[in-house]
Amino acid sequence: AWANDNFHYSLNAGYDHANSMNLFEAHAYDHTNLQKRFRKNPNWGYEFDASTSYSYFLSFKKATFALTPSYGFAQNFRSSDRPYYKLEGTDWQTADIDRLASAKDAISQYIDATNSVFSDTWRTTHKVAVDMDVLFFNSDGHKNQHLCVSFPLRIRTNKLDYLRGEIDTLFHNTYQFFEPNIQYRYDYNNQKGKEQHYKVSYNLAASEPGSEYLTGYRDSSTPLVVRVGNEHLRNTYTHTAEASYNRKKY
C-alpha cells in the first residue's frame, strides 16, 4: 500500500462595464401609431471567486481510494440603471438615438417611473463539498470499476436594492442547496475480443428564482407582452439520471 496527497487553490476576479440603448418607433410598423420609447441601460459589475481543496490518496493492490474535501467562495455584484422614456407627443418625437443618448437631463421629465428600474444586486456563495473516488482493479491489474461520489452543500445569499415606480425595497434571501452527484462505471474485457462497459449516474441540481421576480413588479413597457413578478416563486430542482451500455467486438 502507498499514500499520497496534494493541495490545490485558485483565485479569479473580473470587472466589466457596459452601456446599451434601445429606441422603439412604432410608426415603422404602423403609420397610424406615433408611440416612441427610448431606454438606456448603463451597468457595471465585478465578480470574485476563490477555492481550495485537499486530496488524499490511499492505494492497495486491488483498489485506490481518494478523498477530497473542498471549499469555494464567490462574490458577484451588478449595478444597473434602466430608465425608460415615453417621447411621443414631445419635442423629442423626431430625435434619433444618437441625439437622445446625449440628452439625459433634457428628457428626464419624460421618464416612465413604472417601467424604469434602478437596482444593485449582490450574490454571495459558499460551497463546501466532500468527494470520494474509488478505483477497483481486476486480477490482471486493470481498472474495471470506478465509483465517484460527491456531496456538496451550497449556500447562496442574494441581496437586492431595487427601485421601480412605487416599489422601493432592500431585501435579501438565503438558500441552502444539497446537490449530490454519484457515478459508477464497470468495464469488462475478457481479452478475447469482447468488451462491455456499463455506466450509471445521478445528479441533483438546484436554482433559486431571480431576486427581481420576487418583488411583485409589473412591466408594461411592451403593451402586448406584460410581465409581472411573483413573490411566491419557489426553488427549482432538477434530477438527472443516466444509464448506458456499450459493447465491442474485435
Side-chain angles (χ1 to χ4, degrees):
W2 59 270
N4 193 13
D5 63 351
N6 64 55
F7 175 76
H8 172 80
Y9 70 91
S10 67
L11 296 171
N12 298 284
Y15 170 85
D16 69 272
H17 184 276
N19 189 7
S20 61
M21 297 177 290
N22 177 265
L23 178 62
F24 174 75
E25 297 178 287
H27 70 81
Y29 309 95
D30 180 0
H31 293 294
T32 64
N33 189 341
L34 299 179
Q35 185 183 80
K36 182 168 183 172
R37 305 294 167 87
F38 176 62
R39 184 188 291 280
K40 294 186 68 175
N41 183 20
N43 64 90
W44 67 276
Y46 69 84
E47 58 184 3
F48 169 82
D49 66 81
S51 64
T52 182
S53 63
Y54 172 78
S55 298
Y56 181 77
F57 303 89
L58 187 61
S59 182
F60 298 92
K61 183 177 180 180
K62 290 191 175 184
T64 296
F65 300 87
L67 187 66
T68 305
S70 63
Y71 169 74
F73 171 83
Q75 172 77 65
N76 177 284
F77 171 77
R78 171 65 53 184
S79 181
S80 177
D81 293 345
R82 288 178 285 163
Y84 182 75
Y85 304 87
K86 289 184 176 181
L87 301 176
E88 58 268 22
T90 72
D91 295 337
W92 299 88
Q93 177 74 51
T94 59
D96 60 24
I97 192 170
D98 292 327
R99 186 183 175 198
L100 292 171
S102 59
K104 177 181 177 181
D105 294 333
I107 62 176
S108 61
Q109 60 184 307
Y110 305 119
I111 287 181
D112 177 6
T114 301
N115 293 306
S116 296
V117 182
F118 306 89
S119 65
D120 291 332
T121 305
W122 295 260
R123 295 186 180 91
T124 303
T125 304
H126 299 270
K127 185 177 180 180
V128 180
V130 176
D131 300 343
M132 182 181 69
D133 277 274
V134 185
L135 300 177
F136 297 96
F137 301 91
N138 59 22
S139 57
D140 296 324
H142 295 96
K143 179 188 73 174
N144 71 331
Q145 294 185 71
H146 184 194
L147 174 65
C148 180
V149 181
S150 179
F151 298 111
L153 174 64
R154 182 165 58 92
I155 302 174
R156 166 69 65 82
T157 299
N158 294 339
K159 179 182 176 182
L160 176 66
D161 187 355
Y162 190 81
L163 174 62
R164 182 186 193 126
E166 297 182 355
I167 302 175
D168 185 357
T169 184
L170 174 65
F171 72 93
H172 74 273
N173 291 319
T174 299
Y175 306 88
Q176 296 183 11
F177 298 121
F178 179 61
E179 301 169 303
N181 184 295
I182 302 173
Q183 297 183 46
Y184 174 75
R185 174 170 177 151
Y186 176 78
D187 300 306
Y188 172 78
N189 186 341
N190 67 356
Q191 305 299 320
K192 296 180 180 180
K194 181 180 179 182
E195 290 185 13
Q196 297 183 77
H197 306 279
Y198 305 83
K199 183 178 180 180
V200 294
S201 65
Y202 168 78
N203 178 70
L204 172 62
S207 62
E208 75 280 4
S211 296
E212 183 176 6
Y213 298 131
L214 299 174
T215 62
Y217 76 93
R218 185 178 189 275
D219 187 317
S220 58
S221 58
T222 305
L224 297 180
V225 184
V226 177
R227 300 176 177 86
V228 295
N230 182 357
E231 61 184 9
H232 301 295
L233 289 176
R234 310 177 81 175
N235 299 331
T236 299
Y237 295 91
T238 303
H239 299 265
T240 304
E242 297 180 352
S244 65
Y245 169 71
N246 183 272
R247 181 179 178 180
K248 295 181 180 180
K249 284 187 177 182
Y250 52 88

